Amino acid sequence: MSSLWNSVLKLRPQIKQFTVPVRNLNLLEYQSKHLLRKNGVAVQDFCMIDEKGCSEFEKFNVKEYVIKAQILAGGRGKGHFSNGFKGGVHVTTSRKDVDSISKQMLGYNLITKQTPKDGIEVKKIMIAESVTIKRETYVCILMDRQRNGPVLIASPAGGVDIEAVAEKTPHLIKNIPIDIFEGVTDSMANEVAQFLEFKGPLTNLAAVEIKKLWQFFLAVDATQLEINPLVETDENKVISVDAKINFDDNAQFRHKDIFALEDLAESDPREVEAAKHNLNYIGMTGNIGCLVNGAGLAMATMDIIKLHGGDPANFLDVGGSVKEEQVRAAFNILTADKTVRCILVNVFGGIVNCATIANGIVGAMKSMNLKVPLIVRLEGTNATEARRIIKESGLDIQTAEDLDDAAKKAVANAV
Ligand code: ADP
Ligand code: MG
């Protein structure tokens, strides 16, 4: 999703209720832990089990195992499965139990406070080395819009219910703004470690981990790095036991390897298909499929459709440098949605050449059997040529005089 669309969704939250969530890269815990380990942050050893089996587990021998269902949501410890099984995080010393517990997780939906109501299917399970936890603390670094920069949030009362801590005992949470140029200094890391109630030599150990987390946050262009819990073990170690990282989509070009890890199984398939063609797909609840160029024009299109009593089913934003092939892909995505009763193309050609869009539309129409009415409004660069292309194609395309006329026709055709 482009940053422009992200901003639009922030400004117009009413759109968000109708849409799939904004697509920020979000990794599963095991992927986050691989990255953390690579950057020197202390995490436990672990191996993975999926529906294909557990070849890694055969070689993985530790005293006690933690079995953790991998989904893109937190609150797993207190969650439950669609088959009634309780808890997405289990601890056992028996290898047999690892097997039976995994079987009750794999392929079932895990429902937690943070998932949709039907939960999310578990396709992978992490088997980690258990650590004996003496204390659980909370550390999070995030980009804070209000403070225009990164903020470190810390609490000595970490664990599964940080939301309750924030609500009931806010004095146990500290927010510390970080100067982006200075970063997390030694004295700041020490102060946080002490606030987290690490004592004696553990204070320094915790401070070192906090600085590593900051270095990692910077290195990967994260927008959020949440460690809950950051634990103190009975062996006097400080370990990140759970990790949630969000990455800045605008820095994707710097982190192709990280973005390649994205598991698209939980994303809207239309959005995924659109992204493949460099298009932005925004799903909504109405029945008019809209192909537009630019987030601003999409908003105007939505307003004018609503003004005339209609409701958009979606927006496909073809952006500024669209090619014919992308228009064809856009049409395929729009028409695959069975709720779409008519398609409205609303393009204002500034950088976009309207003739390119017209050729794309004509090409797409010829190669597919479009069953819904199509209304086209093309204005701006090369609009006259575009109208000629559409007219001479002989295809059943309704053209519109202006945006108002286009919206009226779309609403009338969407019944
Ligand atoms: P979630 O936040 O999704 O519930 P966590 O990874 O934080 O998942 O696990 C929940 C709780 O399970 C932790 O707060 C901790 O008490 C316990 N736990 C998780 N991993 C381990 C481990 N490796 N060893 C011991 N206990 C663990
Ligand atoms: Mg957690």
Side-chain angles (χ1 to χ4, degrees):
M1 175 107 17
S2 79
S3 54
L4 185 57
W5 266 106
N6 282 341
S7 315
V8 164
L9 291 174
K10 273 184 201 126
L11 286 169
R12 304 281 293 266
Q14 80 270 28
I15 300 167
K16 212 165 170 182
Q17 328 167 1
F18 302 123
T19 66
V20 290
V22 174
R23 200 162 63 88
N24 272 326
L25 175 64
N26 198 343
L27 296 181
L28 289 167
E29 179 196 358
Y30 81 96
Q31 299 170 312
S32 301
K33 291 233 176 117
H34 269 307
L35 290 175
L36 286 169
R37 182 154 58 190
K38 222 167 83 184
N39 284 269
V41 176
V43 297
Q44 303 120 282
D45 252 359
F46 64 87
C47 73
M48 298 301 296
I49 292 184
D50 59 20
E51 59 272 26
K52 286 192 221 90
C54 50
S55 57
E56 280 185 18
F57 182 56
E58 282 155 26
K59 290 173 256 144
F60 189 73
N61 262 306
V62 290
K63 267 203 271 161
E64 194 175 45
Y65 304 91
V66 185
I67 306 153
K68 303 176 91 173
Q70 300 291 293
I71 55 169
L72 290 176
R76 296 163 300 169
K78 293 198 166 171
H80 66 277
F81 288 82
S82 46
N83 58 359
F85 188 64
K86 294 232 158 20
V89 179
H90 284 259
V91 180
T92 177
T93 50
S94 140
R95 290 182 71 84
K96 256 206 198 132
D97 283 356
V98 171
D99 203 46
S100 68
I101 291 171
S102 317
K103 284 207 175 96
Q104 296 181 81
M105 293 181 167
L106 269 178
Y108 297 101
N109 282 18
L110 175 55
I111 299 133
T112 82
K113 264 206 268 189
Q114 296 181 14
T115 63
K117 99 176 167 328
D118 294 333
I120 299 171
E121 190 187 339
V122 176
K123 293 184 175 146
K124 286 195 170 78
I125 293 174
M126 170 196 255
I127 313 290
E129 174 189 11
S130 172
V131 285
T132 309
I133 296 175
K134 261 169 77 182
R135 275 185 340 107
E136 305 195 40
T137 72
Y138 177 93
V139 173
C140 176
I141 304 171
L142 57 85
M143 280 296 176
D144 185 5
R145 193 166 271 270
Q146 269 172 354
R147 300 200 195 229
N148 285 324
V151 172
L152 196 152
I153 301 169
S155 172
V160 286
D161 233 347
I162 193 69
E163 292 88 351
V165 177
E167 201 181 309
K168 291 185 192 128
T169 47
H171 64 282
L172 290 179
I173 296 190
K174 218 177 190 165
N175 285 5
I176 307 158
I178 303 171
D179 181 314
I180 190 84
F181 297 109
E182 281 186 10
V184 173
T185 57
D186 287 350
S187 70
M188 188 192 287
N190 261 308
E191 187 196 323
V192 173
Q194 278 167 23
F195 178 69
L196 294 177
E197 295 171 15
F198 287 101
K199 302 270 182 320
L202 278 174
T203 317
N204 187 44
L205 214 58
V208 168
E209 286 306 309
I210 290 162
K211 278 197 293 184
K212 280 187 194 158
L213 290 171
W214 164 250
Q215 289 304 337
F216 175 78
F217 180 86
L218 265 191
V220 300
D221 288 301
T223 52
Q224 180 175 333
L225 167 61
E226 184 189 53
I227 306 295
N228 188 26
L230 174 74
V231 308
E232 175 180 332
T233 72
D234 63 342
E235 293 176 336
N236 290 330
K237 287 185 181 154
V238 178
I239 294 178
S240 294
V241 159
D242 188 13
K244 184 173 187 301
I245 316 171
N246 288 331
F247 299 86
D248 184 350
D249 281 2
N250 294 312
Q252 178 166 5
F253 70 99
R254 279 206 285 260
H255 304 291
K256 296 215 169 73
D257 51 338
I258 295 178
F259 278 77
L261 296 172
E262 186 171 21
D263 181 358
L264 297 170
E266 289 178 29
S267 306
D268 185 319
R270 291 164 299 194
E271 220 184 283
V272 176
E273 184 62 22
K276 269 195 225 158
H277 298 278
N278 246 334
L279 306 165
N280 279 316
Y281 178 91
I282 313 287
M284 302 184 80
T285 53
N287 57 10
I288 301 173
C290 303
L291 188 151
V292 296
N293 65 321
L297 191 62
M299 291 306 97
T301 309
M302 169 148 118
D303 286 346
I304 205 146
I305 287 175
K306 292 228 175 218
L307 186 70
H308 291 292
D311 227 344
N314 51 45
F315 281 98
L316 242 169
D317 173 10
V318 296
S321 54
V322 66
K323 307 250 163 22
E324 230 176 282
E325 179 279 325
Q326 285 168 294
V327 177
R328 204 166 308 172
F331 258 64
N332 282 326
I333 295 165
L334 287 178
T335 52
D337 188 341
K338 295 290 165 250
T339 58
V340 170
R341 304 290 285 275
C342 96
I343 294 178
L344 169 61
V345 174
N346 183 21
V347 168
F348 188 86
I351 305 167
V352 171
N353 182 344
C354 288
T356 306
I357 303 276
N359 279 324
I361 294 172
V362 170
M365 289 271 286
K366 283 187 175 153
S367 63
M368 71 199 303
N369 179 15
L370 188 66
K371 294 202 182 74
V372 294
L374 171 64
I375 295 100
V376 175
R377 180 250 176 175
L378 294 167
E379 204 48 77
T381 308
N382 236 350
T384 319
E385 171 69 0
R387 285 192 204 106
R388 188 191 60 77
I389 293 167
I390 288 183
K391 196 161 171 226
E392 287 179 5
S393 73
L395 293 163
D396 186 12
I397 300 172
Q398 303 180 44
T399 50
E401 294 292 311
D402 52 29
L403 184 46
D404 204 47
D405 183 37
K408 271 189 205 154
K409 283 182 174 151
V411 174
N413 276 281
V415 284

